[in-house]
Amino acid sequence: MKQHLRDDKTCLNCGNTVEERYCSRCGQENIETKDSFLHLLKHFFEDVTHYDSKFFITIKDLLVKPGFLTKEYLSGKRAKYLHPIRMYMFISFLYFLMAFSLNHRGHRVEEGLMQRATYEVEKHFSDSIKTMLVIAKKDSVNGTIKEAMLTDLLTKLKHQSDYDQEHFNLTIIGTLDYHQLRAYDSLQKSLPESKREHTIKSWVYSRWLATINHYGEGTVSLLIDKTQHIIPKMMFILLPLFALFFKMFYSSKKFLYTDHAIFSIHFHSAVFLLFILFWILNLILPFLSPYTSIAQLILPCFYLAIALRHVYQQSILISVLKTIALVLLYSASILIGFLTVTLITLL
């Protein structure tokens, strides 16, 4: 249902004179302001289908045409697609929402705290029974009976060494585990203050040990959970850093830093989208999870190489070599970022 144009040529929005149907200054349509319900309904469907078509075209081209959206954007063809920043915000929000919703580590932290509390109670009873045993041995009348009863009760409780072996058999990183932390801490405490280590290593080890002693086997889950909540903020540092790496590899005369930033936004959006699709695939076909884990590492590298080839118009060999260099630099940056986040969570 087409609405009639207003006889008055003054734009109701900005006051500019409207020569034809749309205002040349603000773009508002100069039509009668009283809308019918059918007209409102028509506009609603037009807006929804217009957004949907733009969204699906953008997502399709982002996934199946690496580098295409960046080339289109840099060449000025932008109206057909979602803005890169809006697209990134939407996809990253969806990605981290799924990551947090599928995170079931909170109950592991609570279980660790409960186990630790149980251990403290059992240790208290164990120490009390040991004290009572000493007293029972001195009792010449009923000492033998009391000693037998207390010894039997003591065997039913967990000793500290048993608890450590059962509940704290945790691998921290690489081959470092809880027992090595305990051994290192015991060695440091046995030394005079002047001979003890006062380094970052000793501080990290002591913080790890204190955290594990408090949270038990929920420690690793706790740190992963805290790290995951910082990752979205860390990405705002990694995104411009990734673009800076591109500036190091490509001519500043032909490409500006903002061009590399657009490429970085498109690439990260595509990677997040791939991860979302893999998660959905794992939920539907869980037996494929070992293969999808490998694919999540390999596919972004292939995607990056193809995108570099299309956007920067260099040979396949050079694009592959630069992909390897960029992946190594970016991986090192991510590792440094994770180590920094881990140190912050230990504070």
Side-chain angles (χ1 to χ4, degrees), residues 199-235:
T199 61
I200 294 178
K201 170 189 170 182
S202 63
W203 179 84
V204 171
Y205 279 21
S206 65
R207 293 303 304 164
W208 264 113
L209 186 62
T211 306
I212 294 174
N213 284 336
H214 183 70
Y215 289 98
E217 64 179 4
T219 301
V220 176
S221 297
L222 172 73
L223 292 176
I224 292 175
D225 186 60
K226 285 186 175 182
T227 302
Q228 280 189 336
H229 282 81
I230 299 177
I231 290 176
K233 300 173 184 176
M234 191 170 70
M235 289 306 302

Side-chain angles (χ1 to χ4, degrees), residues 164-190:
D164 292 342
Q165 181 64 34
E166 182 179 349
H167 294 285
F168 285 174
N169 190 21
L170 299 174
T171 299
I172 310 304
I173 185 172
T175 58
L176 179 66
D177 59 20
Y178 172 75
H179 303 293
Q180 289 173 311
L181 290 179
R182 281 282 301 275
Y184 176 85
D185 184 68
S186 299
L187 177 62
Q188 289 297 306
K189 288 180 178 178
S190 67

Side-chain angles (χ1 to χ4, degrees), residues 99-116:
F100 295 147
S101 64
L102 294 174
N103 178 12
H104 303 295
R105 296 187 180 90
H107 74 279
R108 296 178 188 173
V109 176
E110 294 177 2
E111 287 177 0
L113 288 171
M114 288 295 294
Q115 289 170 350
R116 184 62 186 175

